Structures are given as C-alpha cells and as structure tokens.
Amino acid sequence: MQINLATQMQAHVIIPSSLTLNTPFLFFPRNKPLLRTTKNYSNFNLSNGSSRTTFTRKATIKNGNEVKKQEQKEESQHQQLKKAYPFHEIEPNWQSYWEENHTFKTPDEIDTSKPKYYILDMFPYPSGAGLHVGHPLGYTATDILARYKRMQGCNVLHPMGWDAFGLPAEQYAIETGTHPKTTTLKNIGRFRAQLKSLGFSYDWDREISTTEPEYYKWTQWIFLQLFKQGLAYQAEVPVNWCPALGTVLANEEVVDGVSERGGHPVIKKPMRQWMLKITAYADRLLEDLNDLDWPESIKEMQRNWIGRSEGAEMGFCVLDHEDQEQEISITIYTTRPDTIFGATYLVVAPEHPLLSLLISEGQKKCVEEYSELASRKSDLERTELQKEKTGVFTGSYARNPVNGEAIPVWVADYVLGSYGTGAIMAVPAHDSRDHDFAMKYDIPISWVVNPEGESNRKFGETYSGEGIIMNSSSLVSKLDINGLHSKEAASTVINWAESTGHGKRKVNYKLRDWLFARQRYWGEPFPVVFLDETDEIVPVPESELPVILPELDDFTPTGTGEPPLAKAVSWVKTTDPTSGKPARRETITMPQWAGSCWYYLRFMDPKNTDALVDKKKEEYWGPVDVYVGGAEHSVLHLLYARFWHKVLFDIGVVSTKEPFQCLINQGLILGEVEYTAYRDSEEKLISADSVTLLSELSQERVSEEKVIKSGDYFVLKNNPTIRLTSRAHKMSKSRGNVINPDDVVTEYGADSLRLYEMFMGPLRDSKTWSTGGIEGVHRFLGRTWRLIVGPPLPNGSFRDGTVTIDDDPTLEQLRVLHKCIAKVTEEIEATRFNTGISAMMEFLNAAYKWDKHPRSIIEGFVLLLSPYAPHMAEELWSRLGHTNSVAYESFPRANPEYLKASTIVLPVQINGKTRGTIEIDKTCTEEDALNSASSDEKLSKYLVGKTIKKRIYVPGKILNVILERQDVAVSKS
C-alpha cells in the first residue's frame, strides 16, 4: 500500500515524531473521527514525491502487545474526549459577546434600592510568568458567587486590577535593561488575556493599576492626610539593608539573613525612614476583629501580631566599678512583675541605645563583634524559640530595685530593640528562653512562683504559669509579696514601683510602627519637599497632585545608600510651591503595600478626578461583602488596609469601620503526585519500606504510567516488590510541576478548568492537581451537551438548537430538578462548590434515564449550571431560543412542594403477620402495591404462585394479604 503525501488523497496519516519498529501508526479516512488502528502493515510506503522510505511492521508483537493495545484504546478514548463538545468554538464566541456588549459592566448610576453584593479578589501582582492553575481557584469561586448574585437580582460589583509597583519588576528591569513600566504593561496584558480566556465576569471598565498616575494621585493624597494627622513621621531606625539590591527589605523579605529575592546578604543599618503610626490604632484593630466574619485562625494571627500585653516598666540603676549607682538606668518592660525577685540578670538588645555606655573596656571587642553578627539576622531568626541562645556579658551590673542585688547585664540577640524597651529582666526559673541562657552561661536561677496545689514542688525545671509567690520579700525595699497569688502580687509590685518612682504600669504591643519607605525607583513618590535652608518637611499642596514618578534610564542602585531617584537631578531640585523657596523632593518611594491598602475603594468609583471615592457610592457599596485571597496575606496586607481604612473613617471619607466584612482563604493547588524510587550504592532498586534513612539513597523520579497502587501504597508496575514514595508539592518552576492554564484551556476548555478546580475538593483546603480528574468533569460537560443538543452528526458536527420538547414535565422530573435546585443553591451559599457540582451530576444521571426532556426542566438545569460553566450555559440558553444573556436571568428557586418525600415505606402482612416492607409512591394503588410486594425478593416467596383470598389495603398505612389455607401451610414449609 502506497500513499503519496504530495497529492490530494482521501486519507490522512499521522506519523509520530519518533518512529520505532513497534510504533503504531494513526490512519483514518478524511472527515472521520480519529481512530487508532491496530492493523498489521507490511511494506508500508510513504513518499513525498522525491524519495521513498519503507517501514515493515511485524504481524505480531511477542512482548508488551496487550499493553500497547491498552495504550491504543486509551489514546482513542482521549481523542474522543477532546471532541466531547465544541468548546473551542463556543468559548471564544461568548467571550467576544461579553466584551462587545459590556455584559458585566456595573453602571455608575444604579438602583440603590436593590441589594448590593461587592465581591473582590485580592488583586494580583502581574509577573512575567503569567498565571498557573493555582491562581484561578479563588477567581473561579468569586466568579460563581458574582454570577449567582446577579441572577438573584443584586447589583454586583466584581472588579479586577493590578498591584504593579514593587521590587520584582525593578529587579527584572535592572537585569534586562528594560524599563519597569514596559515589562509591567506587558505582564498586565498577559494576565488580562488569561483571565478573559477563563470567562470571569469582571467589570473590565473599572480596571485599575497602582502604577497609573490617576491612581497613585490618591495614594499620595491619603499619605498627606496621614501626615496632617501626625500619623506619618520620619525617624532613623535600623532597617534590613541589602547592598546588592540597593534597597530596604521588609522582615518577611529576608530569609536566613539573605534576601528572599536573589539570596543576597542583608544587614541591619540605621537609616532615615518614613514611618506610619499604626500603633495608635492597635486597640481598635484588636477590638473590631470580633465583628468580622473571618476565619478564626486569621483573626488570631492578627491578635498575636498586634500582641497587646499589660505589665510594667521598671528601672534598674547601672552600677559603677565600686558598686555605686550611676545616673544611667536601664528601663525594662515585663508582663510578669510578680517574678521580679527572681530576676538574676538583665539582657539588652544589640541595637539598644545605651549599649555603648554599658560595655567595659575588657568586653568591648567581643560585644562589638557579637552586635555586628546580630545585625545580619532577621527578627524572626533572632526570636525563634528552637534556636540556641547566644550572648555576651557587657562587663556591667545593675541593681534589682526590689532586693538591692547587683545582677549582670548581658547583650543577646533574642531580645529585640523594637519590642518593649529593648531590654528585659531575665527570670530563668520561669521563662524557658531565660532558663536556656542561664544554664549555658552558668547564671544563678531563683524560683519565686509555686504552682497552686503543689506545696512540695520539685524545682529544677522552668514553670511559666501563675501560682503562689515565694522567696519574694526584702527589708531593703519593704516589699513583701510572699503568699500572694501572681495577679495580686503583680498589682502590688506595680503599686510599689509607682509610689517609689521605680516604675509604672504599662500596656505594650508587639506591633511596631510601620516602616513605610523603600530605597527603590519603581514605587509611588512621596508628596513632600524638604526646604534647602532648614530641612523642614513641607507637604505638596493637594492641587499639585500627583507627583509624577520621573522617567529614568538608569534605575540601578547607587551603591551609596541613596535611592535611585537621586539620579533624577532635575526632578529632585525644585521649589516649595507655597513659599517659592529652593527645595528638594523626597527620593525614597513608598512600599508596594501602599497601593494595595485602599484599591477596593477606588473600584467603587475608578474614574473620579475630584475625590478618592464618591461618598454616596462608598456608602452604598461598602464594605466589601466577600474578600477572597491567599492566607499568606493574613497579617500584613489585611492589617495595613484595616489601619488606612480606620484613618479614612475618622476623617469622614468612608462610612464603615472595617473594609472587608467576610474573608475567605482558598487552599493551595499542589502539583500532580510525584513518585520516587530509590537505589543503593550499587544502583539496585530498594523498596522504600526496607530502609530507615531514605535520604542516604539516590532518588529517581518514576512516571505515573509505570506505577500501580497496592493496598495503601504505590509500587512499580513491572516489579510490585518495590514500594515507592508519593508526594504532591507546591507548584514551582524549580520543580517543573507548574501547570499552565492556557494549555488546559486549549485541550479541555475554560469551563472544564473552572469546573474541575471547584470539584477538586472544599475551597479552603489544599488539593492535588490530576489530569485524570479534569477529564472526568470534561466528560460531564460533554454528556450535558449531548443530552440537550443531541449526539454528533455523521460529519462530527452538532445540530442547531436542542432535542428538548415543549411537553409538560412529569412529577418525577420536577422532583429531580427541584432537588437539584435546592442542593446547588445551598452549596453556593455555603461556598461548598464541589458538592454543588455533585448535585448537578446526579441530575444528569437521572435525566439520561428519561425518554423525553421537557424544555422547562432543561432550562432550569442550564440556569443552575451557568455560574459554574458560563460559556456552555450561554450557548445552550441561546439554542433553547433565548436572545438575552443568561447572566441576568433569575436563578431558579426550589418549590417546597417538589421537595417533599414522594415515597413511603409500607409494611406488608401475610395473614396478619408482618413479613417485610416495600417502598412505594405515596399515590400508589392497591394493585401496584401488591405487584411491588410480589416482586420483592423477601416477600415473593409468600405470594408468588399462591391463591389470594382477600386483600386489605390502607393507603399509606399497610397492605395485608390473606391467603387460602393450603397456601399458608405451603408457605410455612
């Protein structure tokens, strides 16, 4: 058989790129479904007109023939699956329709008598990598809710924008020489296209970017309000300085002493910085958490971050070399003043302002070396409980004010200069960190708290709880708290300190003022100038906003600590707009957090040139009803946004105390399960359960097709004695397990991707990606299509319209539909989208058993499907004869009448004795009840072939069958 590829032919051949003797060829007639042939070929010739290659295929394959047949079958099924319905035509058509008709546009002027629903995604940073399949998880959930609420008659606000300033774009620009604006716009374009390809019902007319001057004008305006309220100020503070990146990094951007991006060394360095006084709102940020519908774990994280504690500040006088008190006093903060008699040493932070005055000549070198090492560590590293405590004796002593004892002063990095006073009294008997430190450096330990009910407690281990005070009295201070409970003792110590001048009651917070500055180019300029003569800070008049970020060709770090904006000499040199005096602009820029603190407000009124947001629009739309995003933003972004919102509330810009009423954190989507085999030093395969330390063996990735499950474990298909390990990892480029949604959409369609991400499991849980899983939901959509449109025509296309009929539905069909309506509605409201999909699958299974499909039933189902699979729903709705988009049709409501149980369990008696039960319809006739009993496996032996003398049937109560006497006897035998 010869086929000339250069001529017109009535057959197609697909040739695999890599041919072997056993490679199966794909051969199918033109315009026919693709089938994988299993024919044997002999002297199979392919000619391109100039040369000829002959491939000979053996008639039989001795090894692996059955495996290949199975692979052929699976490939054929896969090809048919891809043709389940014409998503590749439907989806682009409806996306174009939505865009051309602005289907999801929320008008500026709306009927405010209608209920509102503001649903918001945490808007993304548009990276060059684009989306992976983990991103659409939350976006799909919010889209389902938005579509559902529209269909319920709500005014819906569902916008999208870009958090586009920040370090990643700037670093990419430095590496490539491309301006950050260029790469940012390119990345935004890619993200936008990907989101549109998934059919999300965003109001793209409200799209915003934090990098646009029209937007950051109002970010600068908010900063000016903070400045006027005394909530923005400058201070010289120790910061995380990365010389290589040339910028200050936030604590969360430093990991193990190096920058998260690039792995460059980071040091502590004092710098002039802008600070925002978030601590002024600490109590309100705590109190108002109680009224929010947020996960309790997130609220607890915020409470811990704010870290409110009640205690006391106490002064410990520093002693000179003759044991005399100096004028220097170390002020400590403690939450346990009841334990002050147990303080056996003091610790100051390496950055404590008094440290240089405390160092003796003999200790100077080692203290300075220690402090320099500490400056390279992040706050998280320094306070980690598991790490070994380190420190250096300063050479100084201080006097404990309650007992007059001289105790040593140490410097240790587990104390932070940013918390409390930067100094602590160490009570090693009742604090585990202090105890570890004291044991390491042989410092005395004194027990002063005995747990209640343990009069003969064995000492030696730390006890951090409350109890009865002991060993705590002094004739010197005339203070005696022995026998008091901890709470009473603490109050007594504070009263004593205040009356003697040794201290005072104090409420403290872990929360520090917000370091609001970056030595970067790609960020919002500060709207202030500094007068040349006096260095006075002068705010730019609001009428002069925005202060535009200047174009720079060279935005690399200066290497001197000066920000890149210092290179814009003509921009920096300016005049005070009010006085006309010579001045210079601020060259530090705002952090990326700035634009994301208030973007939810701008979405309410994005084109307003006169105000941040119109008051009436804010009063209607605020607060955000549902806010969906990753748990990684559980503290900083949410805390900062709440702070800014409260400031805006205080000055009358917003009408609500909180920005986000309900918060949902979606789970992660992990990469597909990876299977690993292990080999020993001789390269022999080793079963994973046969050794203790797998890390000592070499690892080998095993593809899924070579693995089978055996009980609770996975083993090699060709060697079941070798057990493998299996694990799903977070998607990352480095692991090569990132799934691109573009590829999924190309192969299965956007509706399949949306449906699968919701069907994987509960929204808030982490889930593992499985290609087999998406094929399952794609099959469901294909079955839905064929149920309503009909099977494909001989040429592979589908008929116009549908196969539905205009007949009235049966009672059973109404019951099946309304049961589905009730379940889907309940599950959307509770964001249990996976079980809502299960309910629709159950409906489909039932519908396939019907001979006829009434239009009214099918239309109800299409409406239920539309929030989940909007492209298919729009197409089906159109084919059902509707000219308007399904997006604003009314969501079905379940009729309670059809939800009532339609069957009952009826007891069946034979000659007055109950022999069993049958399940029948409530309206079942006597004859039908008897037929059901006769066909019942248990009851049939009493009834089949017997003579019935009498039947007593009470509908809904009982069926009693009286048999002839001889038949009763027979039945007993």
Side-chain angles (χ1 to χ4, degrees):
M1 177 179 178
Q2 293 185 347
I3 301 177
N4 192 319
L5 299 182
T7 62
Q8 292 292 326
M9 53 189 177
Q10 297 301 311
H12 297 287
V13 177
I14 294 181
I15 307 174
S17 58
S18 177
L19 290 172
T20 66
L21 185 63
N22 294 332
T23 299
F25 300 121
L26 301 180
F27 175 83
F28 57 99
R30 183 186 294 271
N31 296 328
K32 295 291 184 181
L34 179 63
L35 299 174
R36 183 183 287 275
T37 180
T38 57
K39 292 181 179 179
N40 299 317
Y41 296 97
S42 179
N43 296 322
F44 188 93
N45 298 311
L46 302 177
S47 174
N48 62 6
S50 60
S51 62
R52 178 175 297 176
T53 306
T54 301
F55 300 89
T56 302
R57 182 133 197 244
K58 293 182 179 180
T60 59
I61 302 174
K62 294 181 179 180
N63 298 319
N65 193 43
E66 293 303 315
V67 172
K68 287 192 175 294
K69 285 183 178 180
Q70 179 62 27
E71 290 176 349
Q72 293 166 1
K73 181 179 178 182
E74 290 173 357
E75 177 62 21
S76 177
Q77 291 173 343
H78 180 66
Q79 294 296 336
Q80 293 300 320
L81 181 66
K82 291 172 68 174
K83 294 176 176 292
Y85 71 99
F87 62 85
H88 52 285
E89 298 172 5
I90 293 170
E91 293 179 352
N93 288 344
W94 284 104
Q95 289 163 17
S96 296
Y97 173 89
W98 294 330
E99 187 158 359
E100 291 168 7
N101 291 276
H102 299 271
T103 302
F104 308 113
K105 177 180 174 64
T106 304
D108 289 332
E109 302 300 326
I110 56 175
D111 180 3
T112 56
S113 66
K114 292 173 63 176
K116 65 93 178 179
Y117 193 73
Y118 184 1
I119 182 156
L120 183 65
D121 298 293
M122 291 184 184
F123 72 167
Y125 178 82
S127 70
L131 299 174
H132 64 65
V133 293
H135 293 108
L137 179 65
Y139 302 156
T140 303
T142 58
D143 196 57
I144 290 171
L145 290 171
R147 289 176 177 274
Y148 169 70
K149 288 296 183 179
R150 280 193 202 95
M151 297 175 76
Q152 285 194 319
C154 293
N155 289 323
V156 172
L157 182 57
H158 186 38
M160 176 51 70
W162 318 105
D163 186 14
F165 271 133
L167 183 60
E170 184 161 334
Q171 282 305 115
Y172 182 80
I174 293 169
E175 293 164 7
T176 63
T178 309
H179 197 280
K181 184 175 183 179
T182 302
T183 55
T184 297
L185 290 175
K186 179 182 177 182
N187 295 343
I188 286 175
R190 173 160 166 71
F191 264 61
R192 187 192 299 112
Q194 287 185 296
L195 292 176
K196 286 185 176 182
S197 76
L198 293 170
F200 297 132
S201 61
Y202 294 124
D203 179 359
W204 288 105
D205 291 320
R206 292 175 183 257
E207 179 183 3
I208 59 176
S209 169
T210 57
T211 63
E212 295 301 323
E214 296 82 7
Y215 180 85
Y216 67 71
K217 165 185 177 178
W218 298 105
T219 308
Q220 293 172 343
W221 182 87
I222 295 173
F223 176 82
L224 289 180
Q225 311 317 305
L226 292 163
F227 186 76
K228 291 175 185 177
Q229 300 294 317
L231 298 170
Y233 64 95
Q234 285 203 316
E236 187 155 298
V237 294
V239 297
N240 298 314
W241 171 251
C242 179
L245 296 178
T247 188
V248 171
L249 300 177
N251 286 334
E252 65 276 5
E253 296 171 320
V254 181
V255 179
D256 297 329
V258 298
S259 62
E260 185 179 34
R261 183 177 179 85
H264 304 294
V266 176
I267 61 172
K268 287 287 185 182
K269 180 178 180 179
M271 276 188 156
R272 175 185 61 84
Q273 299 290 310
W274 281 102
M275 309 291 293
L276 298 187
K277 204 170 185 180
I278 190 174
T279 50
Y281 283 75
D283 283 328
R284 288 167 62 182
L285 289 168
L286 269 177
E287 292 163 7
D288 293 341
L289 280 171
N290 298 327
D291 300 325
L292 297 178
D293 180 15
W294 288 18
E296 193 56 40
S297 60
I298 302 298
K299 292 199 279 189
E300 193 59 27
M301 288 174 72
Q302 290 217 351
R303 292 187 185 106
N304 292 337
W305 189 269
I306 296 168
R308 186 183 191 277
S309 62
E310 296 182 4
E313 284 186 352
M314 305 286 288
F316 286 66
C317 282
V318 178
L319 305 177
D320 61 21
H321 63 281
E322 295 180 354
D323 208 28
Q324 299 298 309
E325 293 183 0
Q326 302 184 59
E327 294 184 359
I328 304 172
S329 179
I330 299 173
T331 301
I332 62 94
Y333 172 77
T334 177
T335 59
R336 293 294 302 273
D338 57 310
T339 65
I340 191 168
F341 281 91
T344 57
Y345 66 102
L346 297 184
V347 179
V348 297
E351 57 272 16
H352 195 283
L354 293 180
L355 180 59
S356 61
L357 301 176
L358 299 174
I359 308 171
S360 67
E361 192 61 36
Q363 293 295 101
K364 185 175 181 179
K365 183 179 178 181
C366 57
V367 170
E368 288 178 348
E369 288 177 351
Y370 181 82
S371 297
E372 198 278 329
L373 286 172
S375 72
R376 302 178 188 176
K377 298 180 182 179
S378 69
D379 289 355
L380 188 62
E381 290 176 278
R382 288 171 55 178
T383 55
E384 187 179 1
L385 291 177
Q386 287 75 24
K387 85 175 190 76
E388 184 181 0
K389 305 298 178 291
T390 61
V392 176
F393 177 46
T394 64
S396 294
Y397 289 82
R399 194 178 306 286
N400 187 329
V402 295
N403 57 18
E405 293 182 1
I407 57 177
V409 181
W410 287 70
V411 57
D413 63 8
Y414 76 88
V415 175
L416 301 177
S418 59
Y419 178 68
T421 63
I424 65 164
M425 66 175 197
V427 184
H430 305 292
D431 183 280
S432 59
R433 296 181 310 168
D434 298 345
H435 184 269
D436 292 345
F437 193 90
M439 293 294 290
K440 181 175 181 178
Y441 294 107
D442 198 24
I443 301 173
I445 300 173
S446 177
W447 279 265
V448 294
V449 182
N450 196 36
E452 291 182 85
E454 296 186 28
S455 56
N456 296 316
R457 179 174 180 268
K458 182 181 179 180
F459 298 109
E461 298 180 356
T462 56
Y463 171 67
S464 59
E466 297 180 344
I468 304 301
I469 304 300
M470 61 181 186
N471 302 329
S472 299
S473 66
S474 172
L475 295 175
V476 175
S477 63
K478 300 180 180 178
L479 179 63
D480 183 356
I481 56 174
N482 281 331
L484 299 181
H485 186 272
S486 291
K487 282 188 169 60
E488 185 181 357
S491 182
T492 301
V493 171
I494 294 172
N495 292 337
W496 170 86
E498 291 183 328
S499 65
T500 59
H502 285 98
K504 61 182 179 181
R505 194 178 304 274
K506 180 76 172 178
V507 174
N508 201 27
Y509 302 89
K510 288 183 181 177
L511 181 67
R512 300 291 90 197
D513 280 349
W514 177 7
L515 195 158
F516 190 74
R518 296 293 186 268
Q519 273 66 27
R520 298 176 187 162
Y521 165 68
W522 193 236
E524 298 94 335
F526 281 91
V528 298
V529 297
F530 300 87
L531 297 182
D532 286 351
E533 291 182 359
T534 62
D535 228 24
E536 177 187 353
I537 302 172
V538 179
V540 172
E542 293 176 10
S543 60
E544 298 285 324
L545 299 180
V547 176
I548 302 290
L549 183 68
E551 292 285 342
L552 274 184
D553 295 327
D554 179 13
F555 27 77
T556 56
T558 60
T560 63
E562 278 289 304
L565 270 181
K567 298 176 182 180
V569 178
S570 60
W571 179 82
V572 174
K573 187 176 180 181
T574 186
T575 57
D576 173 17
T578 304
S579 66
K581 294 179 180 180
R584 65 188 185 281
R585 296 191 188 277
E586 174 63 273
T587 54
I588 297 171
T589 54
M590 299 185 196
Q592 184 175 353
W593 304 105
S596 63
C597 274
W598 70 280
Y599 73 105
Y600 60 94
L601 293 171
R602 194 60 177 173
F603 278 137
M604 300 175 185
D605 193 15
K607 303 296 192 295
N608 195 329
T609 58
D610 300 320
L612 183 151
V613 61
D614 178 79
K615 281 184 175 294
K616 289 184 178 179
K617 291 179 180 178
E618 185 279 326
E619 288 171 359
Y620 178 73
W621 287 115
V624 174
D625 294 284
V626 177
Y627 194 32
V628 178
E632 65 270 20
H633 300 295
S634 57
V635 175
L636 297 181
H637 160 62
L638 290 171
L639 200 63
Y640 294 158
R642 293 180 63 219
F643 164 47
W644 276 34
H645 191 89
K646 290 182 182 303
V647 175
L648 294 174
F649 175 77
D650 288 349
I651 63 176
V653 175
V654 299
S655 59
T656 63
K657 293 193 300 181
E658 287 286 335
F660 316 116
Q661 184 55 40
C662 174
L663 174 70
I664 296 175
N665 295 130
Q666 81 272 18
L668 291 173
I669 291 185
L670 305 174
E672 292 197 82
V673 174
E674 296 177 8
Y675 304 95
T676 304
Y678 299 88
R679 294 183 183 273
D680 61 15
S681 57
E682 298 178 355
E683 291 299 306
K684 293 181 179 178
L685 284 169
I686 302 295
S687 185
D689 60 336
S690 64
V691 292
T692 304
L693 294 176
L694 292 173
S695 59
E696 297 179 354
L697 303 175
S698 62
Q699 299 183 9
E700 180 179 306
R701 186 84 61 86
V702 180
S703 58
E704 186 176 9
E705 59 268 18
K706 296 181 180 179
V707 176
I708 60 171
K709 191 167 186 180
S710 176
D712 294 331
Y713 303 98
F714 293 94
V715 297
L716 284 175
K717 188 181 292 186
N718 62 358
N719 187 354
T721 63
I722 301 299
R723 185 184 296 179
L724 311 174
T725 58
S726 59
R727 181 184 171 188
H729 298 266
K730 183 177 178 180
M731 288 188 183
S732 67
K733 288 182 181 179
S734 60
R735 293 202 68 85
N737 64 348
V738 173
I739 305 293
N740 188 331
D742 298 350
D743 298 335
V744 180
V745 170
T746 299
E747 187 161 3
Y748 298 101
D751 283 344
S752 291
L753 176 59
R754 292 168 58 109
L755 211 64
Y756 176 57
E757 297 221 347
M758 294 297 96
F759 191 59
M760 293 172 76
L763 175 63
R764 295 161 179 81
D765 292 355
S766 292
K767 297 160 279 284
T768 302
W769 180 268
S770 168
T771 301
I774 197 169
E775 289 179 352
V777 295
H778 185 69
R779 193 175 292 112
F780 161 71
L781 289 175
R783 293 185 71 218
T784 299
W785 178 263
R786 293 189 297 276
L787 176 80
I788 300 172
V789 175
L793 300 172
N795 65 0
S797 65
F798 291 89
R799 74 183 77 232
D800 295 330
T802 68
V803 296
T804 59
I805 60 173
D806 291 326
D807 292 5
D808 290 335
T810 66
L811 182 61
E812 174 61 19
Q813 289 172 331
L814 287 167
R815 283 173 175 159
V816 170
L817 174 63
H818 284 265
K819 178 183 176 183
C820 186
I821 293 171
K823 185 64 174 176
V824 171
T825 302
E826 178 186 350
E827 302 307 77
I828 290 180
E829 292 280 0
T831 63
R832 294 188 295 260
F833 304 113
N834 55 321
T835 46
I837 296 171
S838 296
M840 289 188 281
M841 290 178 170
E842 290 175 13
F843 171 90
L844 194 70
N845 289 336
Y848 260 93
K849 298 175 183 177
W850 303 336
D851 294 329
K852 298 178 180 179
H853 299 93
R855 180 183 301 274
S856 60
I857 297 294
I858 296 303
E859 285 184 345
F861 177 68
V862 170
L863 292 171
L864 293 179
L865 181 66
S866 63
Y868 289 86
H871 305 90
M872 175 178 279
E874 288 277 23
E875 180 68 20
L876 294 175
W877 193 248
S878 175
R879 285 168 172 260
L880 286 163
H882 300 280
T883 56
N884 294 327
S885 168
V886 74
Y888 292 93
E889 295 294 330
S890 295
F891 199 80
R893 292 189 178 187
N895 187 333
E897 288 300 314
Y898 299 129
L899 300 180
K900 295 177 182 177
S902 60
T903 61
I904 59 169
V905 176
L906 185 76
V908 178
Q909 294 183 341
I910 308 297
N911 287 2
K913 186 173 183 179
T914 301
R915 296 292 188 178
T917 61
I918 55 174
E919 185 175 352
I920 60 171
D921 194 277
K922 285 182 177 180
T923 59
C924 185
T925 64
E926 180 179 328
E927 195 65 33
D928 289 337
L930 182 63
N931 289 337
S932 294
S934 299
S935 61
D936 181 83
E937 183 179 356
K938 184 177 180 181
L939 294 169
S940 61
K941 65 181 179 180
Y942 297 104
L943 298 173
V944 176
K946 307 300 188 296
T947 303
I948 298 175
K949 181 178 180 181
K950 183 180 179 182
R951 297 183 303 203
I952 303 171
Y953 180 58
V954 182
K957 299 293 183 181
I958 198 167
L959 171 65
N960 187 6
V961 182
I962 309 299
L963 302 177
E964 291 288 355
R965 184 174 297 275
Q966 66 272 23
D967 287 331
V968 174
V970 171
S971 66
K972 285 182 179 179
S973 63

